[in-house]
Amino acid sequence: MGCGNVFFTLIITLSVALITYNILISANASLKQELPGPSTSSIIDPIIQMPVEKSRKYGSNAEKRLFHTAVTASDSVYNTWQCRVMYYWFKKHKNGPNSDMGGFTRILHSGKPDNYMNEIPTFIARPLPAGMDQGYIVLNRPWAFVQWLQKADIKEDYILMAEPDHIIVKPIPNLSKDGLGAAFPFFYIEPKKYELVLRKYFPEEKGPITNIDPIGNSPVIVGKDSLKKIAPTWMNVSLAMKKDPETDKAFGWVLEMYAYAVSSALHGVGNILYKDFMIQV
C-alpha cells in the first residue's frame, strides 16, 4: 500500500513538472506574424489566419485587386440547386467591406444550356469525350477550366476557383500576394506520404516533394495568367493519374485535387495557406 502511494505521488509530481515546463516554454516563445514565403522553399509553409488590413482603403475598383469567382457544375438537379444557393450568397457579400469579389461564372460542362442561364452567369463547356472520365465526372473540371480560360473575356486579373457546395459567409478579400496563390490546406492531401507515386508526375529535378502544397484546386485564389499556364497541365496530369491503376487506387476521389497541387508546383506557383479560408462541416 505504501509503495502504491509513493508511485502515485511520483506520477503526480512528474505530471505537474511537465505541465509547468510546457507553460514556461509557451509563454516565452516568440510568435511569427509575417506572411510565409513561396512554398518552393525547403521549409514547409506555416498555416496562418486570414489577414485583416485595417489601413487599406476601398474607395473604387481601381484600388482593389478584383478576382473572378468560377464554379464548375454539371446539369444535375442537385448541382444546379447548389449553384443557385451559392450564387445567392455571392451576391449578398460581393459589395461588403474589404471585398475584392468581382464577377461570377458558372462553368457548365454539360455542353448545352439549361433553364438557369438568365439567373446565373454561365459559360457552356464541352464535356470530355464519352468514357474518358471513366465514371469520375470530376475530370471534366480541369477540361472545363481550360475552355473557359481560352474563350471567355475575363476582366479581373485573379481567379477564385470555388465549388457549387461552397456557401460564402462573409466578403472575401484577395488573399493572394507576391505571385503566390492563396489556398486552403487539406489535412488529407499528403504529398510526403505518397512521394513514390507522385514522383511519376513530379520528377526529382523539380525539387523536393514538399514543393507540392497540401491543397486542391478549390478554394484557391490565383493570378489569371498563372492559371492559364497551370490549367492545361492540370487537365493532362489528371487524365494521366486516372489511367494509372496505382495512382488511381492511392488517391481515389481526391485524385484531381492532387493533380492540381502537382501542376501548380510544376509551374513554380506556390501558395499561401489560410486555415480560415474555409469552414468544413
Side-chain angles (χ1 to χ4, degrees), residues 5-279:
N5 288 336
V6 171
F7 177 75
F8 182 74
T9 302
L10 180 61
I11 292 296
I12 293 295
T13 302
L14 289 175
S15 299
V16 171
L18 182 59
I19 293 170
T20 303
Y21 173 77
N22 285 332
I23 292 173
L24 290 173
I25 291 296
S26 299
N28 289 286
S30 59
L31 297 177
K32 296 182 179 180
Q33 300 295 335
E34 70 273 10
L35 292 175
S39 60
T40 50
S41 68
S42 59
I43 301 175
I44 298 176
D45 285 349
I47 299 174
I48 64 179
Q49 294 183 348
M50 294 274 261
V52 179
E53 301 179 26
K54 294 183 179 179
S55 62
R56 185 174 171 190
K57 296 180 180 180
Y58 291 83
S60 68
N61 285 350
E63 297 170 340
K64 299 185 179 184
R65 296 183 304 128
L66 295 178
F67 59 81
H68 194 102
T69 300
V71 179
T72 57
S74 70
D75 59 356
S76 70
V77 174
Y78 179 61
N79 231 195
T80 300
W81 271 98
Q82 285 180 317
C83 286
R84 297 183 74 189
V85 171
M86 193 218 176
Y87 186 52
Y88 171 87
W89 288 105
F90 169 87
K91 291 186 291 183
K92 282 282 188 181
H93 295 295
K94 178 182 176 181
N95 297 317
N98 297 341
S99 170
D100 283 316
M101 300 161 68
F104 183 99
T105 298
R106 175 183 60 150
I107 307 174
L108 185 62
H109 53 72
S110 64
K112 58 183 184 297
D114 64 5
N115 295 328
Y116 298 93
M117 303 288 292
N118 293 328
E119 179 181 331
I120 310 172
T122 301
F123 173 88
I124 304 297
R126 300 190 312 276
L128 289 168
M132 185 172 285
D133 64 10
Q134 301 181 53
Y136 181 54
I137 194 172
V138 185
L139 288 183
N140 282 285
R141 182 172 172 82
W143 171 223
F145 264 103
V146 168
Q147 295 173 70
W148 178 62
L149 290 165
Q150 287 178 344
K151 298 178 180 179
D153 181 18
I154 307 165
K155 305 297 185 184
E156 299 84 356
D157 291 327
Y158 298 86
I159 307 294
L160 165 61
M161 291 184 286
E163 296 191 27
D165 60 355
H166 290 168
I167 295 177
I168 298 172
V169 297
K170 63 194 303 183
I172 305 173
N174 189 339
L175 301 169
S176 65
K177 186 174 182 179
D178 298 332
L180 300 171
F184 177 82
F186 291 93
F187 70 88
Y188 50 80
I189 301 298
E190 304 175 276
K192 189 65 179 176
K193 178 179 178 180
Y194 294 102
E195 180 169 2
L196 292 179
V197 175
L198 289 171
R199 283 302 183 189
K200 296 179 182 181
Y201 315 95
F202 191 77
E204 292 189 4
E205 57 265 28
K206 288 293 185 179
I209 208 69
T210 51
N211 283 2
I212 301 174
D213 292 321
I215 63 172
N217 64 83
S218 175
V220 169
I221 300 176
V222 64
K224 178 172 60 179
D225 290 340
S226 294
L227 187 56
K228 284 182 176 180
K229 297 174 183 177
I230 294 170
T233 306
W234 172 28
M235 179 188 71
N236 290 325
V237 171
S238 296
L239 292 171
M241 284 183 170
K242 187 62 181 176
K243 289 180 181 178
D244 181 67
E246 181 186 18
T247 309
D248 190 24
K249 181 179 179 180
F251 297 153
W253 67 274
V254 296
L255 179 148
E256 170 259 355
M257 296 174 67
Y258 271 100
Y260 180 83
V262 168
S263 301
S264 184
L266 285 171
H267 288 280
V269 180
N271 296 275
I272 306 169
L273 307 179
Y274 291 98
K275 68 177 182 179
D276 293 337
F277 200 164
M278 182 171 69
I279 302 170

